[in-house]
Amino acid sequence: MNKRLLWTVFKYVVAAVLLIVVVWINWGHPNNPDDRGLGYVWQRHVVEGRPIDYGCLALAFLFFGLAVPITFVRWWVLVRAQDLPFTLGNAFRLGALGFFFSTFLPGSVGGDLVKAACIAGEQKRRTVAVATVVMDRLIGLWGLFWLVALIGGAFWAAGGLEGGASQLIVGVALGVVGLTLAVWFPLGLLSETAAVRFADRLGRLPKVGASVAELWRAVWMYRQRQASVFIALFLSIIGFLGFVPSFYFAAHTLGDGAPHAAPTLLQHFLLVPIGLVVQAAVPLPGGIGAGEYGFGKLFGWFGCPEPNGVLSSLVYRLVMLGLSLLGYLIVASMGRSSPRAAAEEAAPAPADARWAPAGGAVAADSAATG
């Protein structure tokens, strides 16, 4: 058994242990109605057989199912912005595969590695192909901050944003949006020669040089395609307008209607993006355990029982698992349709050697196809 496999198995074991610990901490006393931990929910719905709210569960599936395809379209926009031969159907095919593996591989970027490997193997400009996946991830993250800044900022300006936690979250989001815009627009004044030179310098950084250089290349390349970037950003925000209600209805699937059992829908628009970032940042399969812990703390931050946050995350994870598996089965049943034929019919665009120096982009290509 090689070291990589052992390391992967170790991560799954850590994820399972972390989830067990989080559930145990939030279990409470099942027979005490005043201590409504996870044990109380188990007692009500498993032991006593009380029904769950199937309407809320259906709405959680519906909103999530509507939001996921929007992320596939977002990636397709970014790929086409670089004049790569890529159909919308292939974006859905590879997007569904990436979504499936993001759910099960260690860390949410696991699916991105699969997408990068697939598209790089089917394109002649492999470095650019990998950069589209990197930029898709960045714009997805950027969309989280934009969503919080736009919605939270509007309510704050109207005097409808109460509580120090809400104002802190919105303030941080506004700061991130402002800072990134302040960096984004001056990039247009940078010449291509200077950009390539800077990428070479980043590539010489110890250990992280290749990754940082690849990140820089992706950002600079798309700075020259501003219209496509802001279309992708708009799609990212629209997508999260589906993910957030999905989590909100997941939070009410096993609830008993108690007051302050879960944050309001507006508060979900503030806390869900943070919880998703926490879940994505921890390099465990699907962020298992870390996401539940994070949402529990966020619920407590908004004055709601922490076990309800853990429970909501578990229900939301079941929705995500179910739809990712469904997407994978659909793709598998349709067979593999490759865009290679379209690439051969189109006029070949040679790779730009200036954006594929040894180390950075080449290393990324090797990792993506290996």
Side-chain angles (χ1 to χ4, degrees):
M1 187 177 293
N2 57 46
K3 293 182 179 179
R4 179 177 297 181
L5 179 59
L6 285 174
W7 181 242
T8 301
V9 172
F10 174 75
K11 288 184 177 181
Y12 278 95
V13 172
V14 171
V17 171
L18 179 58
L19 181 59
I20 292 172
V21 171
V22 172
V23 170
W24 178 75
I25 292 174
N26 291 274
W27 190 255
H29 301 282
N31 297 318
N32 184 359
D34 295 327
D35 186 3
R36 301 190 176 189
L38 298 178
Y40 175 76
V41 177
W42 179 273
Q43 179 72 24
R44 279 172 54 86
H45 296 288
V46 178
V47 178
E48 299 177 9
R50 298 190 186 186
I52 67 175
D53 192 332
Y54 288 102
C56 284
L57 183 60
L59 287 172
F61 272 96
L62 175 63
F63 277 102
F64 199 100
L66 292 174
V68 170
I70 295 176
T71 65
F72 303 160
V73 177
R74 181 187 71 199
W75 183 39
W76 174 76
V77 169
L78 293 172
V79 176
R80 293 300 300 148
Q82 296 298 332
D83 300 320
L84 295 175
F86 195 62
T87 66
L88 187 57
N90 278 306
F92 272 72
R93 174 177 64 87
L94 297 184
L97 291 176
F99 174 44
F100 173 78
F101 286 107
S102 289
T103 307
F104 293 99
L105 289 181
S108 67
V109 297
D112 287 346
L113 295 178
V114 173
K115 287 167 57 178
C118 291
I119 191 172
E122 297 173 343
Q123 298 288 340
K124 295 183 178 180
R125 299 164 63 199
R126 298 167 64 192
T127 299
V128 178
V130 173
T132 66
V133 180
V134 176
M135 197 63 185
D136 183 60
R137 170 63 60 171
L138 289 175
I139 290 181
L141 181 61
W142 202 23
L144 284 172
F145 288 103
W146 270 93
L147 177 67
V148 175
L150 290 174
I151 294 180
F155 275 90
W156 199 349
L161 193 67
E162 299 179 357
S166 299
Q167 294 175 359
L168 176 61
I169 292 173
V170 174
V172 171
L174 288 170
V176 170
V177 168
L179 180 61
T180 51
L181 286 177
V183 173
W184 175 260
F185 287 111
L187 281 179
L189 304 176
L190 194 65
S191 68
E192 184 174 357
T193 301
V196 173
R197 189 182 303 117
F198 186 59
D200 291 339
R201 291 176 180 175
L202 291 175
R204 291 193 290 269
L205 292 174
K207 296 184 179 180
V208 298
S211 299
V212 175
E214 190 65 45
L215 182 64
W216 164 256
R217 291 186 187 93
V219 172
W220 194 88
M221 284 167 51
Y222 277 99
R223 177 58 182 82
Q224 316 308 312
R225 302 287 192 275
Q226 287 200 78
S228 297
V229 168
F230 283 103
I231 291 173
L233 176 62
F234 174 76
L235 291 172
S236 181
I237 294 173
I238 296 299
F240 285 116
L241 290 177
F243 289 129
V244 174
S246 176
F247 192 97
Y248 174 79
F249 287 112
H252 288 80
T253 298
L254 294 174
D256 55 4
H260 307 296
T264 65
L265 180 58
L266 172 61
Q267 290 173 331
H268 270 79
F269 276 100
L270 304 180
L271 71 89
V272 170
I274 298 177
L276 294 179
V277 170
V278 171
Q279 183 171 292
V282 178
L284 295 176
I288 295 176
E292 282 68 31
Y293 177 81
F295 278 113
K297 291 300 180 183
L298 286 167
F299 266 50
W301 205 2
F302 282 91
C304 301
E306 290 188 13
N308 289 3
V310 176
L311 180 64
S312 301
S313 180
L314 289 171
V315 176
Y316 183 78
R317 187 177 295 280
L318 289 176
V319 172
M320 180 172 60
L321 289 170
L323 289 177
S324 66
L325 180 59
L326 176 62
Y328 178 81
L329 293 176
I330 292 175
V331 170
S333 66
M334 294 174 62
R336 183 179 183 276
S337 58
S338 170
R340 184 181 296 276
E344 292 175 351
E345 293 176 2
D352 190 342
R354 291 170 296 177
W355 290 102
V362 173
D365 279 348
S366 300
T369 55

